[in-house]
Amino acid sequence: MKINKAYFAGGCFWCMVKPFDQYEGIEGIISGYMGGHVDNPTYEQVKTGTTGHYEAVEIEYDPALFPFDKLLDIFFKQIDPTDADGQFHDRGSQYRTAIFYVNEAQKEAAENYITSIQSQYNKPIVTEVLPYKTFYAAEEYHQNYYMKDPENYAQEQQLRQQYATKTSQ
C-alpha cells in the first residue's frame, strides 16, 4: 500500500481532524503548524499570529482508496474560502486557509478545483495554494482533540456553524 500526504490549513486544526477521520483510506491525521518562519513553534507562539504559521493538518492517505480530489471536496466543505482573516469566529493569521502541495499533481489539482468552484461564491476565493514547508506536529494535547474533549469540540463546532450561518445571510 502506497501512502501519500496532504496538508491543509482550514482555521482551527481541532475542527479539521474529524471531517477527514471517518473514511477508509485515511491512515492518519496530525494537527500541527506550517508555513511560518519559526522553527519548532509552540501553540503559545503560533496563537500570537506573529510566527507566520498556519494551524494545519497532515493527512496520510491511500490514493488508491481515497484520491486527492476527494480530500479537496472535504476540505472545502469545512471552510469559507473567501475569508482572508481567519475562519468563522477564529480570527487571525494562524487561521488562514491554505493547501500546501507536496508535488505538481497536488498543486494542479488544487488550482483546478478552486477554479471550478469560484463561480459558487460572490467574492474571490482567497485560499492559498502554497508549496510544502516543514510541518511541525502540535503538542500532544492538540492531537485528536474531538475525541479527548467531545464536549468542548461540540461547542466549537456549534460556534462555527452559528457564525457560518450568520455570515452567509
Side-chain angles (χ1 to χ4, degrees):
M1 167 172 58
K2 180 181 176 189
I3 299 296
N4 287 357
K5 291 185 179 181
Y7 299 88
F8 296 101
C12 176
F13 48 41
W14 291 344
C15 297
M16 293 302 297
V17 174
K18 187 176 181 180
F20 293 100
D21 199 25
Q22 51 192 311
Y23 296 98
E24 181 180 353
I26 302 295
E27 302 300 321
I29 305 171
I30 300 171
S31 295
Y33 318 108
M34 68 186 311
H37 57 271
V38 174
D39 291 340
N40 298 306
T42 65
Y43 178 72
E44 293 302 315
Q45 291 172 307
V46 172
K47 78 177 187 178
T48 67
T50 62
T51 65
H53 283 289
Y54 299 68
E55 286 195 13
V57 290
E58 175 187 83
I59 301 171
E60 294 181 327
Y61 66 101
D62 179 348
L65 296 174
F66 211 91
F68 186 71
D69 285 345
K70 195 169 179 181
L71 292 173
L72 291 170
D73 285 338
I74 294 167
F75 173 66
F76 278 97
K77 287 178 182 160
Q78 306 308 311
I79 66 169
D80 173 356
T82 68
D83 189 344
D85 298 318
Q87 286 295 290
F88 312 109
H89 73 283
D90 293 320
R91 312 313 297 160
S93 63
Q94 69 273 29
Y95 298 121
R96 294 168 293 161
T97 61
I99 301 161
F100 292 91
Y101 60 88
V102 298
N103 56 44
E104 287 301 310
Q106 284 186 356
K107 177 183 180 187
E108 184 176 319
E111 289 173 342
N112 289 340
Y113 191 95
I114 289 169
T115 299
S116 75
I117 65 168
Q118 177 59 70
S119 65
Q120 298 171 24
Y121 298 91
N122 57 7
K123 297 190 289 188
I125 291 177
V126 295
T127 298
E128 298 174 277
V129 178
L130 302 169
Y132 170 84
K133 283 185 142 184
T134 304
F135 177 82
Y136 299 98
E139 297 81 354
E140 179 55 36
Y141 68 94
H142 290 297
Q143 306 304 328
N144 297 307
Y145 182 78
Y146 78 95
M147 289 189 285
K148 292 176 182 172
D149 195 345
E151 188 173 306
N152 276 340
Y153 175 79
Q155 289 173 351
E156 177 79 14
Q157 284 298 95
Q158 184 178 24
L159 288 170
R160 282 176 70 105
Q161 290 298 86
Q162 288 172 353
Y163 189 87
T165 302
K166 182 173 133 185
T167 59
S168 67
Q169 296 175 349

